[in-house]
Amino acid sequence: MEPLPLHHCKVHKWQAIIHRIHAFIHCIALISIIYYRLSSIFLPAALPWLLVFVSEIFLSLLWLLSAAYTWRPVTRTVFPERLPPVDQLPAIDVFVCTADPKTEPPLGVMNTVLSVMALDYPPEKMSVYLSDDGGASRTLRSLRETWRFSRAWIPFCREFAVENRCPEAFFAETHDDGHGVEFLDEKQRIKREYERFRERLRVVGEEEEMDDANHQNHPPSIQVIGEGESGIDAANGSKVEMPLVVYVSREKRPSSPHHFKAGALNALLRVSGLISNSPYILVLDCDMHSNDPSSARQAMCFHLDPTISSSLAFVQFPQKFHNLSNNDIYTSALSSIFDVKWRGMDGLRGPILSGTCFYIKRKALYGMSITPKETDVDITKLRDSFGPSYQFTSSVTRSSMNGNADMVNSLLKETKSVASCAYEKDTQWGKDIGFLYNSVVEDYSTGFLLHCKGWSSVLCNPVRAAFLGSTTTNLNDTLVQGTRWNSGSLDCLLSRFCPLIYGLPRMPLLQCFCYTYLAAQPLYCLQVWCLAIVPQLCLLNNLPIYPKVSSPWFMIYAFAFISPLAKYLWDVVIIGGTTQTWWNEWRMWMIKSITAYFYGSLDAVMKQIGIRKASFIPTSKVVDEEQLNRYQKGIFDFQASPIFLVPLVTLTMLNMLALTWGIAKVLVVGRLRLDEFFGQVFVSFFILLVNYPIVEGMFRKDKGGISLRVTMLSALHAVILVTLSFIYFLPIKTKSLARFDKICRSDKVSTMNVTPTYSLRLDLISLFTIYYLEIIELHMYSYP
């Protein structure tokens, strides 16, 4: 009798059919627009026309790449109850990464450590490694206090089958219903222990506040926490098995590149390879605590499934967040990524590695092939790639070793050696082994290389979120984080691992499209900047860019505009989103295109030409209560860097001016026909409608509004843009006025076939008035 499957994969055929039909129809519309532009390219003002045309082409190409995400969406269901017995489950190493206790408060980090120490998995098969990349004594002391509290916390979680094993989140919940007196009494006891634990962490923070240690210049430090002590079951006083906890701080020197998070993870790979060497690894950011203790068993439903396990590299869980507001104005939920894009990629070769919340196979990170050959176990050759440590190189070909304190102490010197700066010299670390170093988005690069080697991945998206983290709740942090991500993405596009060049011969076409879209996404900045400026300046100078409303081509443009909006609304709704979510995501897409995409692209280009070095600024986990309060109320907080605000406000002002000018021309002067300029007027209107919070922010007087200094500076930039456009269009307008003057002076005016004298006089007066206004405009344009 064949064993029952450990998971089930469902293909959403009807959704796939709708996606494909829409893609086909939308492609026809885009091809028609390109034909229209090519047939009308020779115009007097060719440059604005050409800029808009190029923008439309690039938008079409990026849309084509993005269509691959929804080609074959799937969902998966797991059956943990069908897993083999506990003693047959493989061992797991857990990596938790932190860098600076000032931006990543130790209380949050230690809650994450506690939550993974209490996973519903055999403790003797688990080892938890905390990477402290800043080498801060505050973090080490906090981890020791965490171990002390965990001896009471973990037995409590196991005895009462607690579902939420992050203490901070657990005590924020109410458990008065459906629980016995024994549970409530024990909960109160543990809560008192937790309060004492928090107080000890506060004291440690105060004592270490004046710590002036250089977090970029320190020796390696590896320490076992707890020295093999067991937990104590309060019910009967018996000992409870605890997972191994190891503190790891790799060596960092100013003269040696440390490669940010990727370097820290590779150091953890080597240290853990010497100590526990578990075949599977869970990687978490320091703020991403376990929300479901069964996540390890869920992941094993894929890794141990014989139908896919041989080629499966990693199981990716979605990143979910506990501090989201109902409105989520900054679209920090990332639902469009995990619930739409990653679900679609799961139907291809699998989702992209996403930085945290994934269970990955150690063998895949070691750069081994899916089906290893005999040459793969040649230790001499392995040392050329993996480094000079014989003990570590030997561990590459061994299974897990169930590390303990005594083993770590015996290998202490060797673990410090593999965590040193010099160890990776002349090896393949960061190139073909471990997490790659070619970009600050090491997750994208590493996942891409794994898929190129034939490995696959799956998305596990259970009803209850497996992990919960904290996300950005203010505009500045959102844009800084986006700038870093987009800089790294474009780095990949410009590197030797460019998906279209390196990936095309090594992976399926649609999978390659998905990777290319993510890497090229920062280039949206060029098109959005262009479409937020050029049509508006042309409107101010009476130059049509789009077809007339009465033209059949206008309907094609209208369809090409409405089609992706409606399609994305459908994508959001079918995953449980709302129209408010859809609207917020469009707004943030525009804001990020102008700011984070632009500065990320600029940073990537500067790194490529050697002007700037790679940098990594961790997202701050420190909460500003005032900013958080505005976020919860759905109010934008514009306490952001002027480098982000000035471009946004400048373009908003330009579109306000263009819209006002267009409406005034139609209603007051009457010479500008709405039929001819409706497209440009509507573009300005739509931009202002979507970005209304920016307009509102300019008139707000509270602390979170846009400052007067930023507003005035933006107004100056808008005036400069308009002035430069007047100068550029002046020769064109001069020629037009000359032709108009010739018509006015010709005999055609006097021979108009108009019978009523009164009507003829009105026409002549109107013609003279318009001509006079044009002369005034010509003189206005002639002076700065």
Side-chain angles (χ1 to χ4, degrees):
M1 181 178 178
E2 292 186 2
L4 294 173
L6 295 177
H7 88 282
H8 171 69
C9 179
K10 178 184 177 182
V11 180
H12 298 276
K13 294 182 180 179
W14 281 108
Q15 291 182 23
I17 291 171
I18 293 173
H19 288 311
R20 296 174 189 184
I21 291 174
H22 170 264
F24 176 74
I25 297 174
H26 194 73
C27 274
I28 294 176
L30 296 179
I31 292 172
S32 301
I33 289 175
I34 293 173
Y35 172 78
Y36 166 76
R37 288 294 184 191
L38 288 173
S39 63
S40 311
I41 199 169
F42 298 106
L43 294 173
L47 181 59
W49 187 276
L50 184 62
L51 288 174
V52 173
F53 180 32
V54 171
S55 297
E56 290 169 348
I57 289 177
F58 273 98
L59 283 173
S60 301
L61 291 175
L62 287 170
W63 172 86
L64 180 63
L65 294 173
S66 69
Y69 285 111
T70 53
W71 196 254
R72 188 176 179 267
V74 303
T75 53
R76 299 180 187 270
T77 307
V78 296
F79 308 106
E81 66 277 5
R82 299 176 183 176
L83 284 171
V86 169
D87 59 346
Q88 296 180 25
L89 292 176
I92 296 175
D93 288 339
V94 182
F95 294 171
V96 180
C97 299
T98 185
D100 186 351
K102 293 181 180 178
T103 58
E104 297 168 339
L107 179 62
V109 177
M110 299 309 148
N111 267 272
T112 298
V113 172
L114 285 165
S115 70
V116 293
M117 288 178 66
L119 284 176
D120 184 15
Y121 206 77
E124 68 276 9
K125 292 179 177 288
M126 279 183 56
S127 302
V128 179
Y129 296 82
L130 176 65
S131 169
D132 176 20
D133 224 25
S137 57
R138 179 182 176 184
T139 304
L140 176 58
R141 291 180 60 187
S142 297
L143 187 59
R144 287 175 178 152
E145 294 295 343
T146 301
W147 172 268
R148 180 179 169 184
F149 171 70
S150 70
R151 297 182 66 203
W153 172 249
I154 294 177
F156 168 74
C157 292
R158 292 178 185 163
E159 180 182 355
F160 295 100
V162 173
E163 194 169 29
N164 194 338
R165 302 191 177 183
C166 170
E168 192 76 15
F170 173 78
F171 291 118
E173 300 174 347
T174 56
H175 306 91
D176 296 335
D177 298 331
H179 295 84
V181 176
E182 182 184 0
F183 168 80
L184 296 176
D185 290 343
E186 188 64 15
K187 175 190 171 184
Q188 290 302 316
R189 185 186 71 83
I190 296 297
K191 187 174 183 179
R192 289 191 295 271
E193 289 286 340
Y194 181 64
E195 292 301 326
R196 286 192 284 268
F197 164 67
R198 286 172 58 109
E199 179 62 21
R200 292 195 297 270
L201 290 193
R202 187 190 65 79
V203 172
V204 168
E206 290 179 352
E207 294 176 352
E208 299 290 343
E209 189 173 1
M210 302 306 294
D211 178 22
D212 58 354
N214 189 340
H215 299 312
Q216 302 298 320
N217 185 11
H218 55 80
S221 176
I222 291 88
Q223 297 189 32
V224 178
I225 307 301
E227 298 297 334
E229 297 177 15
S230 301
I232 304 297
D233 191 332
N236 51 30
S238 61
K239 292 184 178 182
V240 177
E241 191 74 24
M242 302 279 284
L244 179 71
V245 178
V246 183
Y247 169 86
V248 178
S249 178
R250 60 175 174 146
E251 181 184 21
K252 293 177 77 173
R253 303 298 180 192
S255 58
S256 300
H258 52 82
H259 304 295
F260 314 112
K261 183 182 176 181
L265 287 171
N266 285 340
L268 285 178
L269 266 178
R270 296 190 293 271
V271 172
S272 64
L274 285 168
I275 298 172
S276 52
N277 200 34
S278 300
Y280 299 100
I281 299 167
L282 166 62
V283 177
L284 291 176
D285 285 342
C286 64
D287 63 328
M288 193 67 66
H289 69 258
S290 171
N291 186 59
D292 185 347
S294 67
S295 67
R297 298 178 64 86
Q298 293 178 37
M300 289 305 114
C301 288
F302 297 104
H303 278 301
L304 301 182
D305 192 320
T307 60
I308 63 171
S309 61
S310 61
S311 62
L312 181 64
F314 61 91
V315 178
Q316 179 69 59
F317 285 84
Q319 295 179 31
K320 301 291 180 72
F321 306 99
H322 62 79
N323 60 337
L324 293 172
S325 68
N326 294 329
N327 195 350
D328 189 23
I329 53 177
Y330 304 124
T331 63
S332 302
L334 304 179
S335 57
S336 64
I337 293 179
F338 292 102
D339 295 332
V340 178
K341 292 183 172 67
W342 272 216
R343 190 175 68 132
M345 290 189 73
D346 199 9
L348 304 175
R349 187 169 282 184
I352 294 172
L353 198 66
S354 304
T356 183
C357 307
F358 59 88
Y359 287 83
I360 192 166
K361 191 175 292 181
R362 183 182 290 267
K363 170 185 168 183
L365 285 173
Y366 282 169
M368 296 183 179
S369 59
I370 297 176
T371 54
K373 302 176 183 179
E374 291 298 324
T375 54
D376 291 331
V377 297
D378 188 330
I379 295 180
T380 303
K381 292 183 178 179
L382 287 178
R383 293 180 69 181
D384 294 336
S385 301
F386 287 85
S389 172
Y390 180 82
Q391 288 93 329
F392 171 70
T393 308
S394 300
S395 74
V396 172
T397 60
R398 293 200 307 265
S399 58
S400 59
M401 298 180 288
N402 293 327
N404 52 52
D406 294 335
M407 177 181 291
V408 177
N409 291 330
S410 65
L411 292 172
L412 188 59
K413 184 177 179 180
E414 196 65 24
T415 56
K416 290 183 177 180
S417 172
V418 298
S420 66
C421 291
Y423 186 81
E424 293 183 354
K425 186 178 180 181
D426 299 325
T427 67
Q428 289 301 308
W429 285 101
K431 301 173 185 175
D432 193 54
I433 297 173
F435 293 87
L436 300 195
Y437 293 158
N438 67 308
S439 169
V440 293
V441 286
E442 77 294 327
D443 47 358
Y444 174 96
S445 303
T446 304
F448 173 72
L449 189 61
L450 290 175
H451 282 138
C452 285
K453 291 180 177 180
W455 291 97
S456 62
S457 60
V458 297
L459 176 70
C460 184
N461 192 1
V463 176
R464 179 180 175 88
F467 303 95
L468 283 178
S470 60
T471 188
T472 54
T473 55
N474 63 76
L475 184 63
N476 190 73
D477 286 350
T478 300
L479 298 181
V480 168
Q481 184 184 67
T483 300
R484 183 180 73 238
W485 287 351
N486 286 282
S487 174
S489 297
L490 197 60
D491 281 340
C492 297
L493 187 70
L494 301 176
S495 72
R496 69 184 184 95
F497 292 115
C498 174
L500 282 178
I501 299 174
Y502 188 89
L504 199 56
R506 296 173 173 86
M507 64 171 61
L509 177 64
L510 293 179
Q511 184 83 3
C512 184
F513 276 11
C514 293
Y515 271 103
T516 304
Y517 173 81
L518 201 63
Q521 183 176 253
L523 298 180
Y524 268 127
C525 67
L526 303 177
Q527 294 91 65
V528 177
W529 269 90
C530 178
L531 296 178
I533 294 177
V534 175
Q536 292 74 7
L537 294 180
C538 289
L539 176 61
L540 291 171
N541 289 277
N542 300 336
L543 178 69
I545 289 293
Y546 298 110
K548 298 179 181 180
V549 176
S550 57
S551 169
W553 292 106
F554 179 82
M555 297 305 297
I556 296 177
Y557 265 90
F559 174 80
F561 173 80
I562 296 172
S563 168
L565 290 174
K567 170 61 169 53
Y568 189 64
L569 175 60
W570 184 71
D571 288 338
V572 170
V573 169
I574 63 173
I575 63 172
T578 63
T579 53
Q580 185 65 55
T581 303
W582 166 77
W583 191 250
N584 289 342
E585 292 197 355
W586 274 111
R587 179 191 300 121
M588 284 308 298
W589 175 78
M590 287 188 185
I591 291 175
K592 288 180 179 179
S593 296
I594 295 298
T595 55
Y597 292 177
F598 174 73
Y599 291 119
S601 301
L602 185 63
D603 184 68
V605 171
M606 291 172 68
K607 285 185 288 187
Q608 289 292 322
I609 61 180
I611 296 179
R612 179 177 168 83
K613 292 184 178 180
S615 61
F616 185 93
I617 304 173
T619 305
S620 176
K621 309 300 188 299
V622 179
V623 177
D624 184 302
E625 292 298 333
E626 191 175 351
Q627 291 183 328
L628 180 61
N629 185 48
R630 291 194 190 94
Y631 169 72
Q632 295 294 342
K633 292 179 179 179
I635 302 173
F636 265 73
D637 191 300
F638 292 102
Q639 294 182 80
S641 170
I643 200 172
F644 292 132
L645 294 182
V646 170
L648 291 173
V649 180
T650 298
L651 297 186
T652 300
M653 286 183 168
L654 178 62
N655 279 271
M656 290 171 66
L657 177 61
L659 179 63
T660 305
W661 181 268
I663 294 175
K665 281 280 191 177
V666 172
L667 299 180
V668 180
V669 181
R671 74 173 275 273
L672 182 62
R673 292 178 298 174
L674 188 61
D675 176 68
E676 191 172 14
F677 288 90
F678 177 81
Q680 285 153 269
V681 173
F682 178 78
V683 167
S684 292
F685 170 74
F686 182 74
I687 290 174
L688 293 174
L689 182 65
V690 174
N691 295 283
Y692 174 74
I694 300 176
V695 180
E696 182 188 44
M698 288 189 287
F699 298 97
R700 278 166 48 191
K701 302 300 182 183
D702 62 308
K703 189 177 178 181
I706 296 173
S707 66
L708 180 62
R709 173 174 170 267
V710 169
T711 303
M712 296 303 294
L713 186 60
S714 302
L716 177 62
H717 283 83
V719 169
I720 292 173
L721 279 174
V722 174
T723 303
L724 290 176
S725 74
F726 286 166
I727 294 173
Y728 172 79
F729 287 111
L730 181 60
I732 300 171
K733 290 181 66 66
T734 304
K735 293 179 181 179
S736 299
L737 288 174
R739 288 196 299 269
F740 186 59
D741 181 67
K742 184 177 180 181
I743 293 174
C744 291
R745 297 176 185 278
S746 67
D747 294 338
K748 293 181 181 180
V749 174
S750 60
T751 58
M752 286 183 177
N753 187 20
V754 180
T755 306
T757 307
Y758 180 74
S759 177
L760 177 59
R761 287 176 180 175
L762 286 179
D763 289 342
L764 290 173
I765 292 172
S766 299
L767 191 62
F768 175 80
T769 303
I770 294 172
Y771 177 69
Y772 180 74
L773 288 173
E774 290 283 5
I775 295 296
I776 293 176
E777 287 181 4
L778 179 60
H779 283 286
M780 289 173 62
Y781 300 158
S782 301
Y783 298 95

